[in-house]
């Protein structure tokens, strides 16, 4: 599958995979200076890249498991959604869940990008929904 990518900054790094079977492509920070992320705060960090997913796909930005578990850094919105028709810079809002100051430098891997298909739907308003075994039971209602 071909994905179009444009470097917006000369020092931007094209996403890479950690192994041949990796699903996610590492996104790298592209910044002039080191970015300090205070405890429990969020900073927007650019990749220096504009990416155009193939038709019918969007880019999903997920946490890198090592960065999240070892350093407490994750995308602030948990999963970033980059629509197929978005052509601006991919930016990661990185949140520091730890009680320590964290630093991100240009070239640091900060998140991972996965391309996923999506489906367009047409909503049809109805007066009632069909009954199901679960019904309107919410959080924890299935007892599992």
């Amino acid at each position: 599958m071909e994905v179009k990518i444009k470097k917006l900054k000369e020092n931007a790094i094209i996403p890479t995979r950690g192994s041949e079977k990796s699903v996610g492509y590492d996104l790298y920070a592209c910044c002039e200076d080191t970015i300090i992320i205070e405890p429990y705060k969020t900073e927007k960090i650019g990749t220096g890249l504009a990416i155009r997913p193939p038709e019918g796909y969007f880019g999903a930005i997920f946490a890198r498991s090592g960065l999240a578990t070892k350093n407490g850094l994750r995308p602030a919105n948990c999963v970033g959604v980059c629509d197929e028709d978005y052509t601006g810079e991919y930016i990661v809002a990185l949140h520091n869940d730890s009680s320590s100051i964290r630093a991100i430098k240009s070239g640091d891997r900060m998140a991972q990008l996965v391309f996923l298909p999506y489906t367009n739907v047409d909503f049809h308003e109805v007066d009632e929904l069909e009954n199901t075994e679960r019904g309107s039971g919410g959080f924890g209602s299935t007892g599992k």
Side-chain angles (χ1 to χ4, degrees), residues 56-73:
Y57 286 79
F58 72 98
I61 297 176
F62 293 97
R64 293 190 66 251
S65 59
L67 196 62
T69 58
K70 295 175 185 174
N71 296 301
L73 295 175

Side-chain angles (χ1 to χ4, degrees), residues 125-144:
E125 188 175 357
V126 296
D127 292 328
E128 296 292 329
L129 297 175
E130 303 82 25
N131 287 328
T132 65
E133 185 176 327
R134 181 177 185 170
S136 61
F139 297 101
S141 65
T142 62
K144 296 179 184 175

Side-chain angles (χ1 to χ4, degrees), residues 74-93:
R74 60 155 173 90
N77 52 348
C78 294
V79 178
V81 174
C82 301
D83 295 314
E84 177 187 335
D85 60 351
Y86 174 68
T87 58
E89 181 179 13
Y90 274 36
I91 295 172
V92 178

Side-chain angles (χ1 to χ4, degrees), residues 1-121:
M1 177 183 318
E2 183 176 291
V3 174
K4 295 178 181 177
I5 192 164
K6 177 182 178 181
K7 280 190 172 185
L8 302 173
K9 297 179 181 174
E10 190 175 315
N11 62 331
I13 300 172
I14 303 295
T16 61
R17 291 189 298 172
S19 72
E20 183 183 331
K21 301 291 184 181
S22 294
V23 173
Y25 291 79
D26 290 331
L27 291 174
Y28 296 82
C30 184
C31 45
E32 298 295 320
D33 301 309
T34 299
I35 296 174
I36 301 300
I37 308 174
E38 297 288 336
Y40 314 111
K41 299 293 182 184
T42 300
E43 294 292 336
K44 293 179 185 174
I45 305 170
T47 63
L49 301 169
I51 302 171
R52 183 76 191 263
E55 187 173 334
Y57 286 79
F58 72 98
I61 297 176
F62 293 97
R64 293 190 66 251
S65 59
L67 196 62
T69 58
K70 295 175 185 174
N71 296 301
L73 295 175
R74 60 155 173 90
N77 52 348
C78 294
V79 178
V81 174
C82 301
D83 295 314
E84 177 187 335
D85 60 351
Y86 174 68
T87 58
E89 181 179 13
Y90 274 36
I91 295 172
V92 178
L94 209 54
H95 185 78
N96 182 356
D97 284 317
S98 79
S99 58
S100 301
I101 293 172
R102 300 294 185 214
I104 296 290
K105 301 181 305 280
S106 198
D108 285 351
R109 294 179 297 168
M110 60 175 168
Q112 58 181 323
L113 175 63
V114 176
F115 294 100
L116 298 170
Y118 68 89
T119 302
N120 287 319
V121 299

